Amino acid sequence: MAKTPPLVHLISALSLLVPPLVMAEDLFGLDQPLPEILSATRLKQSPAAVPGSVSVIDRALIEASGARDIPELMRLVPGMMVGYVKGNEITVNYHGGQVGTARRMQVLIDGRSVYRPGLATVDWVDLPLAIEDIERIEVFRGPNTVSYGANALTGVISITTRSPANNHGTRLKYTHGQRGIDDWYGSQAFSSGNGDFRLSLSGQQDSGFDRTDIEDSYRDSRRSTRMHFSATHALDDSQTLDWQLVAKEGSNQKNFYSNEEALVRDVVPVGDTNKDIKARDYSASMRWSLDTSSAHNLQVQAYAQRWERVQEWRTCDLALSFTPEVSALQQLDPKLLDSVARLLRQRKAIPLSAGPLAFAIGENFYKNGGALQAAVCGDINNNINETRYDLELQDTLSLSDDLRLLSGMSYRKDTADSQTYFQGGLQNEVWRVFGHLEWHLSEHFVLQGGSMFETDTLSGDSLTSRIALNYLITPRHGIRFVYSEAVRSPDMQENNVNWSYLIENLNPNLNGRDSAYYYATAQGPGNLQQEIMRSREIGYNGQFDFGLQIDIKLFNEEIHRLIAEPLDITEFVQNNDNYMWFRGAETEIDWAFTASDRLRLTYAYVDFETSEKSYRRLTARYSGSAGYLRDWGDGWSSSLFYYGADLLNQRRFERADLRIAKRFNFGKSDLELALMMQQRLDDEALTWRENLYDQRRMVSVSAQLEF
């Protein structure tokens, strides 16, 4: 006799629950309109029918949080780890990983990826977007390469900006506070003909951390100026056209030299420690949407963007650092070179037992008449320009009342141009074909499947898939069972880097040359394979008529062929030899229990294991948040938030945020004055031991005028 498939047993078992659902529908109610999730599968779906966990941060929550940055909003998402490398270097990782970079999560602004192609990072402090322009953020918590391609390995943050059609008028805002906070914002939205337009200009500035753990002052301030112009046109009853122009200019302070810059730092001038990064971003995007019928939609999206990073400084080192022997030893044994440097710094001889190459370096250093001990200074840079062109076609078709099909294809071209990182330019082309099928088997069962085929000229081909079964107790309450596979392509820096520093304008010259390559070099292996994630999830999502929303997730995630070695030019050893897995549970509760009161709670427990020891410190096992928002009437409102994580990079984090606001009405104008206070409840440095503030409390005030 043929064996019955396990899926049939599961459906049969769950169907036994159907009779009691008549009473369940009466209890839960179906009168309120269902909220919609827009970005999880690219289809509009009710939260209970989504094949995964999604956190929604709406406009009210954004304003009540008082956050100045998107990473701070991510503290409201269960399982998100927000880390600070410096005051102007922030990372966001879902469930953890490397704190210095966030390479495994896709970030979209109105469908446009801001994941940099060359160095494969998201510059959170340099995003060309003011938080005042954000309408909504959806965070898909889990792998989603079937919808958004490789690099959506652990999740997708989809940011939607405010529509010009719904925000006519003028808004002006100014924020000032401790730690050098000095932000401003202005926007004007209007209609003309068949279009609505909004122009917003904004600026952001702060001074970063106050000091390091050895009481040195910290040069990690940031400053940015942004322009965002958006337009939407109703071409006719069935067609819309949206387009945007975005620009950003700013600078981020840097002043700490890296190990590769001085072999014997104590006996040579440091040079110019001003390594500030000048950042400029530009983008243009367009989206055309056509409804050929009530059951069919066609959408075309195209965008172009460019990232420019200029980081130039003057450095000094010993002439010894430019010798072939030092370069050869660095390639052969970087750790031995560090030992040699320590001995030379202490003016000690190199023992013959260290090896002939190390011994020869010491002999040359002491017996060359002082020539190799002379300081040589020159100009060096980390400049890089990255560009991306993306064209995508998406088709949404309702085959019947119970069956919907989304399909599409896209082409993307990425370019990275850097003499330091790639000895010139490097290109990559990516073709994608994707699809998602949603089938309502009955009133209570939804079966979904999706896949994406991707061909990458630098990384090869990949095929990822997802299958999910949602059991709808009612349309507002569902239990989900999800299995998905995802990949992350090795980025250009990991796999294809040709990293070396050409120091120019040398003073004094080296043997008549005014330029020379530094001893440290790194070469990408060129044959890295894609990382693979396999994820299993069981969850529940419920939307109650009395304002309560609950999401619960149990998960098991495994990442194989993990590329985890540090991207360090002095010891560049990238491979697929590592792994990492996560198991745990998350919950999110959002309850508007009166028209004036809203409570939001999140909690995450993450158990994990990894073969890369540096990753073991970068996941908080317990983390969460709690927030209470209240409208007191007569223009008064307040919000109180708590954020906590037990250990992130071996440091506890606890903070309470309070915001009190008063709104005044002057006819057609509104003025809001707000006080924001953050109070650290722990006495730890933030993520890294160097990141210290003089005071645990920070206060800022803001004034916003709308007319």
Side-chain angles (χ1 to χ4, degrees):
M1 187 171 70
K3 186 177 181 180
T4 305
L7 181 60
V8 174
H9 285 303
L10 177 62
I11 293 176
S12 300
L14 290 177
S15 65
L16 299 176
L17 299 176
V18 173
L21 295 182
V22 177
M23 290 190 301
E25 290 180 1
D26 293 337
L27 173 63
F28 297 144
L30 299 172
D31 297 333
Q32 300 297 322
L34 280 171
E36 286 185 325
I37 302 299
L38 308 176
S39 64
T41 63
R42 298 174 178 249
L43 292 172
K44 293 182 179 180
Q45 297 177 301
S46 67
V50 171
S53 303
V54 180
S55 295
V56 178
I57 303 175
D58 55 35
R59 184 65 216 168
L61 196 57
I62 293 172
E63 292 181 351
S65 71
R68 301 170 56 239
D69 302 297
I70 297 172
E72 286 298 317
L73 290 173
M74 292 301 104
R75 297 190 187 278
L76 295 166
V77 179
M80 281 292 181
M81 311 295 167
V82 180
Y84 278 74
V85 182
K86 297 179 177 65
N88 52 33
E89 286 187 48
I90 312 175
T91 59
V92 179
N93 288 283
Y94 182 55
H95 287 167
Q98 190 173 13
V99 73
T101 55
R103 299 173 180 270
R104 298 179 175 88
M105 188 163 54
Q106 183 63 269
V107 181
L108 307 170
I109 300 178
D110 293 325
R112 171 175 56 88
S113 172
V114 292
Y115 185 96
R116 290 174 55 186
L119 303 186
T121 59
V122 176
D123 281 347
W124 290 105
V125 299
D126 283 318
L127 290 182
L129 178 66
I131 205 165
E132 290 80 8
D133 282 334
I134 299 174
E135 179 65 30
R136 174 187 178 98
I137 301 177
E138 292 185 358
V139 182
F140 189 91
R141 304 182 344 253
N144 203 2
T145 61
V146 298
S147 296
Y148 295 102
N151 305 117
L153 186 78
T154 61
V156 178
I157 299 175
S158 181
I159 302 168
T160 303
T161 60
R162 305 178 80 171
S163 171
N166 301 329
N167 294 276
H168 286 178
T170 303
R171 284 194 300 156
L172 302 173
K173 183 179 180 181
Y174 178 68
T175 303
H176 185 77
Q178 295 174 311
R179 300 175 184 168
I181 293 175
D182 195 28
D183 303 343
W184 57 272
Y185 172 85
S187 71
Q188 177 67 48
F190 59 94
S191 61
S192 178
N194 68 351
D196 294 278
F197 306 85
R198 184 185 71 244
L199 172 65
S200 68
L201 302 173
S202 61
Q204 190 176 46
Q205 181 173 309
D206 62 50
S207 58
F209 293 104
D210 294 318
R211 56 185 172 85
T212 71
D213 56 327
I214 57 174
E215 302 302 322
D216 284 343
S217 60
Y218 224 143
R219 293 190 76 255
D220 64 339
S221 69
R222 55 173 165 161
R223 178 199 59 80
S224 64
T225 304
R226 302 165 294 214
M227 184 277 290
H228 191 283
F229 186 81
S230 59
T232 180
H233 302 268
L235 303 180
D236 56 37
D237 292 341
S238 62
Q239 296 184 75
T240 60
L241 176 67
D242 301 290
W243 56 276
Q244 296 181 0
L245 297 174
V246 177
K248 181 263 178 187
E249 178 276 331
S251 62
N252 300 315
Q253 284 187 332
K254 305 288 179 184
N255 74 331
F256 293 110
Y257 36 77
S258 304
N259 290 335
E260 67 266 20
E261 293 182 29
L263 179 64
V264 280
R265 191 175 298 133
D266 291 349
V267 295
V268 70
V270 172
D272 184 2
T273 59
N274 181 353
K275 298 170 58 177
D276 296 356
I277 298 176
K278 298 177 182 177
R280 292 186 292 269
D281 294 349
Y282 311 94
S283 70
S285 59
M286 178 275 295
R287 179 185 296 167
W288 173 68
S289 180
L290 170 65
D291 292 322
T292 61
S293 69
S294 60
H296 185 216
N297 173 265
L298 184 66
Q299 181 176 286
V300 178
Q301 176 174 286
Y303 64 84
Q305 57 186 343
R306 180 176 176 85
W307 297 263
E308 296 180 359
R309 299 294 181 267
V310 177
Q311 186 183 22
E312 300 173 339
W313 71 100
R314 192 162 181 82
T315 188
C316 298
D317 210 334
L318 302 183
L320 177 70
S321 299
F322 300 94
T323 61
E325 292 83 4
V326 170
S327 180
L329 185 57
Q330 189 270 330
Q331 295 294 313
L332 181 66
D333 192 340
K335 293 182 179 179
L336 178 56
L337 181 60
D338 287 340
S339 299
V340 170
R342 283 194 296 271
L343 291 173
L344 294 181
R345 186 181 306 122
Q346 299 167 7
R347 296 291 179 177
K348 294 182 179 179
I350 309 300
L352 186 59
S353 60
L357 192 55
F359 181 77
I361 291 173
E363 288 290 291
N364 289 340
F365 182 71
Y366 290 118
K367 296 181 179 180
N368 204 309
L372 295 182
Q373 301 180 30
V376 177
C377 297
D379 298 328
I380 194 171
N381 72 78
N382 276 329
N383 299 344
I384 184 170
N385 296 327
E386 300 163 87
T387 58
R388 169 170 291 159
Y389 301 96
D390 192 287
L391 176 64
E392 180 181 272
L393 172 66
Q394 177 180 300
D395 184 271
T396 307
L397 178 63
S398 294
L399 300 170
S400 68
D401 291 341
D402 299 324
L403 191 63
R404 287 194 297 171
L405 173 65
L406 182 142
S407 59
M409 64 182 299
S410 68
Y411 167 76
R412 191 182 79 207
K413 181 178 181 179
D414 293 332
T415 302
D417 187 2
S418 173
Q419 192 64 36
T420 296
Y421 291 110
F422 303 109
Q423 300 300 295
L426 185 65
Q427 292 186 355
N428 190 30
E429 293 183 324
V430 180
W431 288 91
R432 294 171 174 165
V433 179
F434 55 90
H436 181 85
L437 184 69
E438 179 193 73
W439 184 14
H440 287 256
L441 302 173
S442 68
E443 180 183 0
H444 299 289
F445 291 99
V446 183
L447 181 64
Q448 301 180 68
S451 64
M452 175 174 287
F453 175 76
E454 188 171 67
T455 179
D456 185 313
T457 57
L458 292 180
S459 302
D461 300 340
S462 64
L463 178 65
T464 56
S465 59
R466 175 174 61 209
I467 186 168
L469 178 68
N470 291 62
Y471 175 60
L472 302 182
I473 304 171
T474 76
R476 306 177 70 87
H477 298 263
I479 301 172
R480 60 184 179 268
F481 305 87
V482 186
Y483 173 79
S484 59
E485 295 182 351
V487 299
R488 182 183 79 90
S489 299
D491 59 70
M492 294 180 180
Q493 186 179 15
E494 289 171 330
N495 202 27
N496 308 101
V497 75
N498 187 2
W499 195 352
S500 61
Y501 286 100
L502 177 64
I503 302 182
E504 301 179 291
N505 302 317
L506 291 176
N507 183 24
N509 289 350
L510 284 174
N511 300 323
R513 296 175 297 155
D514 64 354
S515 65
Y517 279 98
Y518 206 54
Y519 73 89
T521 62
Q523 188 76 41
N527 60 354
L528 291 176
Q529 296 177 288
Q530 293 174 319
E531 297 178 345
I532 296 177
M533 172 181 272
R534 297 184 179 93
S535 173
R536 302 159 185 86
E537 175 182 337
I538 299 175
Y540 160 78
N541 186 278
Q543 311 279 322
F544 295 84
D545 270 357
F546 48 89
L548 178 63
Q549 303 174 34
I550 298 177
D551 188 88
I552 300 172
K553 171 182 177 178
L554 305 176
F555 60 89
N556 186 326
E557 301 168 343
E558 302 171 359
I559 304 178
H560 301 280
R561 302 198 307 221
L562 183 71
I563 306 168
E565 300 298 327
L567 295 171
D568 187 346
I569 190 174
T570 60
E571 192 171 1
F572 194 89
V573 186
Q574 301 303 304
N575 54 59
N576 290 106
D577 296 343
N578 291 288
Y579 71 88
M580 192 168 191
W581 59 253
F582 303 100
R583 298 168 188 163
E586 297 171 357
T587 185
E588 185 176 77
I589 300 172
D590 200 320
W591 188 15
F593 54 93
T594 73
S596 303
D597 298 273
R598 179 179 177 183
L599 179 67
R600 181 181 172 86
L601 304 171
T602 68
Y603 177 77
Y605 167 74
V606 183
D607 187 21
F608 61 95
E609 183 55 63
T610 178
S611 59
E612 170 53 41
K613 63 180 182 179
S614 66
Y615 277 37
R616 296 171 190 168
R617 307 189 309 268
L618 306 177
T619 295
R621 196 173 296 272
Y622 307 97
S623 61
S625 68
Y628 174 54
L629 290 65
R630 177 165 176 79
D631 184 346
W632 298 90
D634 197 27
W636 286 95
S637 63
S638 67
S639 55
L640 177 64
F641 289 89
Y642 166 83
Y643 307 102
D646 62 338
L647 289 177
L648 185 61
N649 202 22
Q650 300 179 324
R651 287 167 179 81
R652 184 169 57 96
F653 175 81
E654 287 187 273
R655 195 181 77 198
D657 293 3
L658 173 65
R659 184 178 184 268
I660 301 174
K662 167 65 175 174
R663 181 174 287 268
F664 303 88
N665 179 261
F666 304 101
K668 296 183 178 181
S669 302
D670 287 303
L671 172 66
E672 183 185 73
L673 303 179
L675 170 70
M676 178 71 188
M677 183 178 71
Q678 294 181 348
Q679 177 68 51
R680 286 289 296 274
L681 304 177
D682 61 79
D683 56 0
E684 302 276 355
L686 189 54
T687 310
W688 293 100
R689 66 183 185 185
E690 298 91 352
N691 298 338
L692 295 171
Y693 291 115
D694 290 334
Q695 298 179 348
R696 293 194 294 171
R697 178 180 301 164
M698 189 278 293
V699 177
S700 64
V701 294
S702 67
Q704 178 173 273
L705 179 64
E706 300 181 41
F707 57 92

